[in-house]
Amino acid sequence: MRYYPTKSISLAHVESFLERLRTDRGETLDLLVVDYFDLLKMMGSYKNRWEALEENCEMLRVLAGLYDMAIWTAGQTRRDGIGKEIVDQDDVSASFGKVFPLDVLVTMSRTREQRLKKVMQLHLAKNRLGPS
């Protein structure tokens, strides 16, 4: 496990780390957890943050393919998604384009009543590998 402060590393740094693991130690990862994607240092020069997020999300998927591993990350909902019974793809914050390259999107939500009962629901919002 490695810790990096907010916006201190980009996907190029992540790729460099993965390559060093593979070449120097002969190790590969089955799963890379990025907590969370929106706080990575964005690569490239973009007018709008959403463009950078979309491009970098696509690049994260490229890394998953290059290193034959799953990547798990978290995101937040838009303000109007808070307290919804079911949070879906269109509730993703900052850029809907982050959803396009995903193989699987699982959302967590709870209403005020569910919060009082200390329960939460999971929703399989997208599944490229089967039904959602």
Side-chain angles (χ1 to χ4, degrees):
M1 184 168 130
R2 296 268 173 128
Y3 168 77
Y4 297 96
T6 298
K7 297 200 184 260
S8 66
I9 66 164
S10 67
L11 289 176
H13 291 98
V14 173
E15 183 174 14
S16 176
F17 170 73
L18 293 170
E19 191 57 32
R20 282 194 319 270
L21 274 179
R22 182 163 59 181
T23 58
D24 295 350
R25 295 186 187 174
E27 296 177 10
T28 58
L29 300 179
D30 294 320
L31 173 67
L32 174 67
V33 178
V34 177
D35 179 32
Y36 75 101
F37 172 75
D38 293 43
L39 294 181
L40 286 172
K41 182 178 181 179
M42 293 294 133
M43 296 172 20
S45 176
Y46 300 92
K47 283 184 178 181
N48 300 304
R49 182 172 183 261
W50 62 267
E51 292 175 309
L53 288 167
E54 287 180 23
E55 178 70 21
N56 281 270
C57 194
E58 291 170 4
M59 294 310 298
L60 194 63
R61 188 169 198 271
V62 168
L63 284 180
L66 286 174
Y67 290 91
D68 192 27
M69 65 181 172
I71 296 179
W72 185 277
T73 190
Q76 294 183 351
T77 183
R78 297 182 325 211
R79 185 173 292 160
D80 58 353
I82 297 171
K84 283 181 73 173
E85 187 169 344
I86 296 177
V87 173
D88 211 349
Q89 297 180 54
D90 56 347
D91 295 306
V92 171
S93 72
S95 173
F96 186 71
K98 294 188 300 184
V99 173
F100 299 142
L102 303 179
D103 289 327
V104 176
L105 173 62
V106 177
T107 65
M108 300 185 312
S109 59
R110 61 183 179 178
T111 63
R112 181 177 300 257
E113 294 79 24
Q114 290 171 327
R115 184 176 292 124
L116 293 172
K117 293 178 182 178
K118 298 184 180 179
V119 297
M120 178 179 283
Q121 65 183 25
L122 298 177
H123 172 66
L124 184 57
K126 178 180 179 180
N127 183 10
R128 189 186 318 263
L129 311 172
S132 57

